[in-house]
Amino acid sequence: MGKVTFVVEFEDGEEPTVNFNNTKILGGRLTAILVDDYRNAFFTDEETRTVRDALNYYEEAMFMDDDPEHAAIISKMELMTL
């Protein structure tokens, strides 16, 4: 069974009432709800620099130039700062 994630922004106080028994979305059944701004959990700019510096230090210490796994980790970390 496939799952799709939607992020929908509502004006404060205009969020819809939903429940797991009756809410259908585009023919699918609602299985999870997050009532929060998911971006609150992202890294700050300073935290991003700290993590990037640590990963770069590790790369230099381990002589891992051009390691695709390291590049993938950096790329994922960058997405968490949007």
Side-chain angles (χ1 to χ4, degrees), residues 35-44 47 80 82:
V35 183
D36 191 14
D37 187 343
Y38 69 97
R39 295 171 293 187
N40 290 340
F42 286 170
F43 289 149
T44 65
E47 290 169 330
M80 295 176 11
L82 296 175

Side-chain angles (χ1 to χ4, degrees), residues 43-58 74 77-78 81:
F43 289 149
T44 65
D45 289 342
E46 184 177 338
E47 290 169 330
T48 300
R49 279 190 299 276
T50 299
V51 172
R52 186 184 298 118
D53 290 347
L55 290 171
N56 287 333
Y57 176 79
Y58 171 76
I74 293 287
M77 190 231 13
E78 295 289 345
T81 65

Side-chain angles (χ1 to χ4, degrees), residues 9-76:
E9 183 176 51
F10 295 95
E11 294 296 326
D12 288 341
E14 297 194 13
E15 298 86 353
T17 301
V18 294
N19 67 51
F20 291 102
N21 294 328
N22 299 333
T23 302
K24 300 282 186 189
I25 300 173
L26 299 174
R29 181 177 58 88
L30 181 64
T31 60
I33 301 171
L34 171 64
V35 183
D36 191 14
D37 187 343
Y38 69 97
R39 295 171 293 187
N40 290 340
F42 286 170
F43 289 149
T44 65
D45 289 342
E46 184 177 338
E47 290 169 330
T48 300
R49 279 190 299 276
T50 299
V51 172
R52 186 184 298 118
D53 290 347
L55 290 171
N56 287 333
Y57 176 79
Y58 171 76
E59 180 183 39
E60 291 170 11
M62 299 301 291
F63 305 104
M64 298 169 38
D65 293 335
D66 300 322
D67 179 3
E69 285 185 39
H70 181 267
I73 291 169
I74 293 287
S75 189
K76 289 177 184 178

